[in-house]
Amino acid sequence: MAELVKDFPEWFKITIVLIPVLSLAVAASVFLLNLRQTFLNNKIARSKIISDTLHAFMDDETIQKAFYKVEYRKFKYSPSFHGSEEETEIDKLLRHYSNLAMMWKNGLLTLNDIYPIQYYILRITQNPDINKYFEFMEDWTKKANISSHPFLALNELGKILEKNNA
């Protein structure tokens, strides 16, 4: 076989070597472009989750009503809260942001992804009466022998965001 190659013209020998090298270079370039696009698509998908959360907040009167009760400290946690209409409003608000907190806790979102909505999360989780409700939920889940509650993930996220803003 080596004897056969010796008889080939010089340009052909170079071509035989260059074609696989060029193919490898093209394949590596395409792979890197694909990798870059995948990272970009992931970032866009995470941004869409945050954007959808903001839009859902703006489009839902119940969530807005509950948020403004919390933000302006008109929400007061007491034993009569349980079973009330206000509980369903507050729970809807907390579930709305707890979904994101659980995505963050599972590594699907980063703190940087959450940055555009951190104001809302901090206003909720820094409210003293919401914290009383979180304490109740923590006690209740322990008594019910449940490992965790989604609201507690929101509380955890709020504490991390608070630390990072200090």
Side-chain angles (χ1 to χ4, degrees), residues 47-59:
S47 296
K48 183 162 177 22
I49 290 169
I50 300 301
S51 175
D52 289 349
T53 298
L54 282 170
H55 285 287
F57 174 80
M58 299 309 267
D59 294 341

Side-chain angles (χ1 to χ4, degrees), residues 36-93:
R36 182 179 179 271
Q37 189 62 45
T38 299
F39 284 126
L40 182 61
N41 288 346
N42 287 341
K43 193 172 189 175
I44 290 169
R46 292 190 317 267
S47 296
K48 183 162 177 22
I49 290 169
I50 300 301
S51 175
D52 289 349
T53 298
L54 282 170
H55 285 287
F57 174 80
M58 299 309 267
D59 294 341
D60 193 306
E61 289 180 33
T62 305
I63 292 175
Q64 283 189 22
K65 181 180 173 185
F67 177 77
Y68 290 117
K69 278 183 183 179
V70 171
E71 183 170 41
Y72 295 116
R73 304 224 173 173
K74 294 184 183 212
F75 167 66
K76 301 295 177 205
Y77 178 77
S78 69
S80 64
F81 166 75
H82 298 283
S84 69
E85 185 178 321
E86 187 177 42
E87 181 184 24
T88 60
E89 294 171 357
I90 295 295
D91 281 357
K92 189 171 184 180
L93 170 69

Side-chain angles (χ1 to χ4, degrees), residues 116-153:
I117 57 166
Q118 75 175 349
Y119 172 80
Y120 301 100
I121 293 170
L122 287 170
R123 292 300 293 166
I124 293 165
T125 59
Q126 290 176 343
N127 181 286
D129 285 282
I130 290 292
N131 282 309
K132 289 177 188 174
Y133 188 34
F134 286 156
E135 288 171 17
F136 168 82
M137 292 306 295
E138 189 171 11
D139 290 342
W140 181 84
T141 55
K142 285 178 186 172
K143 289 176 186 171
N145 210 16
I146 299 171
S147 63
S148 186
H149 191 281
F151 294 174
L152 301 178

